[in-house]
Amino acid sequence: MPFSLHDLYLLLPEAFLLFAVCGLIAVDLLVKPSQRDVTHWLAIGVLVATLALVVYSVAPGRGFSGMFVHDAVSRLLKVFILLIVIAVFVYARNYLKDRKLYVGEFYILCLFATLGMMLLVSAGSLVMIYVGLELLTLSSYALVALNRDSPLSSEAAMKYFVLGALASGILLYGMSMIYGATGTLDLKSIHELVASGVGDNKVLLTFGLVFLVAGIGFKFGAAPFHMWLPDVYQGSPTAVTTFIGSAPKIAAFGMAWRLLEGALGGLHQHWGDMLAVLAVLSLGIGNVVAIAQSNLKRMLAYSTISHVGFLLLGLANGTPSGYAAAMFYAIAYAIMSAAAFGSILLLARAGFEAEEIDDFKGLNQRNPWYAFVVLLVMASLAGIPPLFGFFAKLLVLKAALDAGMLWLSIVAIVFAIVGAFYYLRVIKVMYFDAPVEKGVLALPHDIPLRWILSVNGAALLFLGLFFGPLLSWCYRAMGAG
Amino acid sequence: MSFELILFYLFAAVLTVAALGVITVKNSVHAALLLVLTFFTAAALWLLLQAEFLAIALVLVYVGAVMVLFLFVVMMLDIKIEPLREGFVRYLPVGAIVALVMLTEMLMLIGLKVMSAQTLPPDPAGASNTAWLGKALFTQFLLPFEVAAVILTVALIAAVMLTLRRRVGVKAQNPAKQVAVKASERIRIVKMESASKGASTP
């Protein structure tokens, strides 16, 4: 297929982001360490401009010989990926400044990872899925090791790198089998070939599917492929945890959807059950082990595993409304997770990480407003109405019930109730325990951080009350009624 | 048995023995050299398949660059291989059982089939596979090719970020500063009041 100008129009947001990041590398080289704010605000400016390009992008289409797909799903996912990365940048600044980690590389690697996420959710071919994913994960490995003098960080980065490389290898192995069975890398062609039945290659195809699901499970952090997640979340600087814990979950959903529905939709009877097993294990392990944690970052890591279980439950349906519910859940989780880690970043100051649950003791007496924000976040993560997280859970459960997955729904509800315990414990600690330090909480003088965190917390309440527009956007994108 | 088949069996045997050697020899330098042999034989196998570009790329990139670097590291680090192999015999039964189970599972799933080799017809235009590869890379696979370039950029930035250190107190010479120095910066004349010899300062 000849290359046309239309291809470039489709790729405009990504191309702009790439060139802007390259420019930013040069700018960052020229500014003095004391003027790092220039890089900070330019990076946010680049993301805002990219967001505008995504919102006002051209009509949906496929470009670069089907490698790049621009459709309603990719647009919706990209909008939220960019919004969340902007919020992460605002949250991270003060923390990085206090720890002498306020370097340009943080922004540049995050932006490259964002580019990888955008390419990943727009991938139209197995090879694009792979390179997009590598761009995202390679940047993430380096980000985890940002604080290179900390042994905990280095250990986390090594674990993440080795297990991530293993997961990439497994994913590639599965892709090679699917390529061997169908003879094409294009997701759309694979879908058509699978739907029409490719004869005796069915075994090879199913075998490849097992590896793909294992690779996806690794990248999501779904049990039993979750071993890396708690160590990486705890070991990396909190600013980096905020980044890798939020937006990449949306991208991972995009990847799973493109691979499982986009390419192998015809094999739903196989992967539906595999995802159901992963979902039950994730819900169980995530929620039960989180109870035993005293470190908030580690607790949130296990809570991630349980939320991934819910997300997979939506995907396992194999119906458009299930995908829409899973997409809604991925977006909701990313917003909640950004706010949860953002509140740790707000409380942290030089020499004090604020990552133990006990560090939140008596927060209500020291600063009622931010205690309320954390209350909103934790209640939303627990799934208490009328907050955002409740409706995300409700929609997934409704889709699962409609698809006749009664037992799975019951298991999910039971574990969600078990999970509510450890979120409520944080709230109890804030409101009913005596503070360790007396006096008003010394908040950082970073006005954007305080405002965006307040907006993020309020958004959980607002989106919980008015979730209709976002939900109908998800339904329309997935083509569900 | 055709000549090609004889060559295939020869190369395949060398490759298997060399690959086994990589993980069993005690000296790490020998292991690295055996890995070179493995790559080289694999390249010969690819040549038999008429994939000459891949074969040359394997020799140039892996044997020529990666393995040389690897040998450097092995020789510089002087790794004692013995402690690494301590658990080898102890874990051998478990490992063998796991490997056997996996093999049986895979055989049960895929089954033993005779691999039917389809020989693709040669390109009527007579283009070499190097030309085909180049054409495919820059037309159909243009976008992934460019993204791969971005990935390499990220690797470069990450490597610099993780290893570049500006240590304070290192007494390194800076030639540019040495050349740019002025006479007035080298010597400083301090005017002092003369003091009598006997006066003692408190």
Side-chain angles (χ1 to χ4, degrees):
Chain A
M1 196 191 284
F3 171 77
S4 72
L5 199 59
H6 183 66
D7 292 356
L8 281 183
Y9 283 133
L10 288 174
L11 196 72
L12 192 62
E14 284 80 6
F16 169 77
L17 182 58
L18 174 61
F19 286 114
V21 180
C22 291
L24 199 63
I25 297 175
V27 171
D28 183 63
L29 209 59
L30 296 175
V31 299
K32 293 190 188 74
S34 57
Q35 303 166 323
R36 197 66 74 202
D37 282 352
V38 176
T39 314
H40 174 78
W41 291 114
L42 273 178
I44 290 176
V46 165
L47 285 172
V48 170
T50 314
L51 183 62
L53 285 173
V54 171
V55 171
Y56 297 103
S57 51
V58 290
R62 300 165 71 84
F64 292 94
S65 342
M67 292 279 169
F68 188 83
V69 184
H70 174 63
D71 56 14
V73 174
S74 74
R75 180 194 261 171
L76 175 59
L77 294 177
K78 279 179 201 171
V79 165
F80 281 97
I81 287 171
L82 289 166
L83 277 175
I84 286 165
V85 176
I86 293 171
V88 169
F89 278 2
V90 172
Y91 295 159
R93 175 162 162 258
N94 191 60
Y95 179 91
L96 294 172
K97 244 183 185 170
D98 283 348
R99 278 157 192 76
K100 296 196 173 64
L101 294 174
Y102 196 38
V103 287
E105 284 88 349
F106 173 78
Y107 293 96
I108 287 158
L109 287 172
C110 279
L111 289 175
F112 271 127
T114 310
L115 179 65
M117 287 188 256
M118 291 173 72
L119 289 167
L120 189 56
V121 297
S122 279
S125 142
L126 290 176
V127 69
M128 275 312 289
I129 295 244
Y130 180 67
V131 291
L133 183 67
E134 279 307 287
L135 186 54
L136 165 63
T137 49
L138 203 66
S139 312
S140 309
Y141 304 147
L143 278 170
V144 171
L146 188 69
N147 188 6
R148 58 190 182 189
D149 295 325
S150 145
L152 207 60
S153 267
S154 310
E155 190 199 327
M158 272 317 284
K159 266 185 193 158
Y160 193 21
F161 178 67
V162 172
L163 287 177
L166 184 69
S168 294
I170 288 173
L171 200 67
L172 264 187
Y173 200 36
M175 284 179 180
S176 70
M177 285 184 191
I178 285 164
Y179 176 67
T182 57
T184 174
L185 289 168
D186 190 57
L187 298 181
K188 208 175 159 199
S189 315
I190 294 174
H191 189 93
E192 282 157 9
L193 280 169
V194 171
S196 65
V198 277
D200 59 342
N201 280 334
K202 202 89 183 173
V203 177
L204 192 59
L205 210 56
T206 320
F207 216 60
L209 176 70
V210 176
F211 282 92
L212 274 192
V213 171
I216 292 171
F218 251 116
K219 295 296 173 190
F220 258 123
F225 310 111
H226 65 283
M227 297 301 179
W228 57 274
L229 208 111
D231 289 331
V232 171
Y233 273 34
Q234 192 188 3
S236 45
T238 312
V240 175
T241 315
T242 315
F243 179 77
I244 58 175
S246 52
K249 294 291 173 251
I250 300 181
F253 165 77
M255 175 179 89
W257 181 73
R258 292 243 179 253
L259 276 176
L260 295 179
E261 160 61 24
L264 300 168
L267 295 177
H268 170 250
Q269 82 239 34
H270 297 292
W271 58 255
D273 292 345
M274 293 183 208
L275 289 190
V277 171
L278 290 186
V280 170
L281 282 175
S282 305
L283 283 165
I285 292 178
N287 280 321
V288 172
V289 182
I291 293 174
Q293 306 304 318
S294 63
N295 182 301
L296 189 59
K297 273 161 86 179
R298 222 174 158 78
M299 187 201 97
L300 286 172
Y302 281 104
S303 113
T304 301
I305 297 170
S306 72
H307 284 279
V308 164
F310 253 100
L311 211 163
L312 292 177
L313 191 62
L315 268 176
N317 276 342
T319 56
S321 61
Y323 299 139
M327 183 152 79
F328 189 81
Y329 202 94
I331 292 167
Y333 176 70
I335 295 175
M336 293 188 287
S337 162
F341 287 110
S343 47
I344 301 180
L345 289 172
L346 178 86
L347 259 61
R349 50 180 192 269
F352 177 66
E353 290 288 339
E355 60 176 48
E356 298 294 325
I357 294 177
D358 288 350
D359 293 339
F360 282 72
K361 267 186 182 170
L363 187 64
N364 183 43
Q365 293 170 36
R366 302 178 65 205
N367 191 318
W369 169 244
Y370 286 105
F372 180 65
V373 169
V374 178
L375 166 89
L376 284 180
V377 174
M378 290 298 155
S380 181
L381 280 168
I384 292 170
L387 292 161
F388 199 21
F390 167 71
F391 290 102
K393 280 193 168 66
L394 183 74
L395 287 167
V396 167
L397 288 173
K398 183 176 167 292
L401 281 176
D402 288 347
M405 299 156 80
L406 180 64
W407 276 108
L408 273 176
S409 313
I410 293 173
V411 169
I413 293 170
V414 168
F415 280 119
I417 293 168
V418 171
F421 168 75
Y422 57 86
Y423 297 119
L424 292 178
R425 188 177 57 178
V426 177
I427 296 173
K428 173 234 161 201
V429 159
M430 285 191 310
Y431 280 86
F432 301 112
D433 283 9
V436 179
E437 295 171 65
K438 299 286 174 215
V440 179
L441 184 72
L443 285 173
H445 300 288
D446 196 341
I447 303 300
L449 164 65
R450 291 155 67 168
W451 271 98
I452 298 286
L453 187 62
S454 304
V455 169
N456 198 338
L460 296 178
L461 187 60
F462 180 80
L463 285 170
L465 295 172
F466 305 99
F467 62 94
L470 178 60
L471 181 66
S472 62
W473 195 5
C474 287
Y475 271 114
R476 260 183 290 134
M478 285 295 174
Chain B
M1 192 185 262
S2 68
F3 180 58
E4 271 185 20
L5 206 59
I6 296 171
L7 278 184
F8 170 77
Y9 281 125
L10 179 71
F11 285 134
V14 173
L15 189 138
T16 316
V17 170
L20 275 176
V22 174
I23 54 168
T24 49
V25 294
K26 288 191 174 167
N27 190 326
S28 44
V29 177
H30 292 173
L33 287 173
L34 278 169
L35 196 56
V36 171
L37 182 63
T38 315
F39 283 142
F40 207 82
T41 335
L45 279 179
W46 277 347
L47 264 185
L48 275 183
L49 287 171
Q50 302 184 0
E52 72 269 7
F53 182 82
L54 283 178
I56 299 294
L58 186 71
V59 171
L60 281 181
V61 176
Y62 277 89
V63 178
V66 175
M67 284 318 295
V68 170
L69 216 62
F70 212 85
L71 269 178
F72 257 125
V73 174
V74 167
M75 288 175 176
M76 281 167 96
L77 288 183
D78 189 27
I79 300 163
K80 295 273 183 294
I81 201 77
E82 282 306 321
L84 294 177
R85 293 163 54 93
E86 261 171 8
F88 185 72
V89 178
R90 197 154 59 100
Y91 294 119
L92 189 63
V94 182
I97 289 169
V98 170
L100 263 179
V101 169
M102 272 178 72
L103 184 71
T104 339
E105 279 176 354
M106 284 176 86
L107 284 180
M108 277 163 69
L109 269 168
I110 300 177
L112 272 179
K113 279 184 214 156
V114 180
M115 290 286 179
S116 57
Q118 305 170 349
T119 39
L120 294 172
D123 178 34
S128 68
N129 65 35
T130 314
W132 270 110
L133 208 63
K135 211 171 170 182
L137 269 187
F138 285 97
T139 52
Q140 202 194 344
F141 293 95
L142 177 69
L143 188 61
F145 185 73
E146 293 300 329
V147 180
V150 178
I151 293 176
L152 287 180
T153 315
V154 169
L156 189 73
I157 293 170
V160 171
M161 182 193 89
L162 293 177
T163 53
L164 182 69
R165 281 164 194 273
R166 287 191 194 84
R167 289 200 184 93
V168 282
V170 177
K171 292 191 171 116
Q173 290 184 329
N174 186 343
K177 269 191 177 168
Q178 287 175 327
V179 171
V181 78
K182 291 192 208 78
S184 59
E185 291 167 348
R186 280 287 191 217
I187 187 163
R188 190 163 59 99
I189 297 166
V190 184
K191 296 264 185 206
M192 293 182 78
E193 283 183 33
S194 58
S196 61
K197 215 176 182 181
S200 64
T201 44

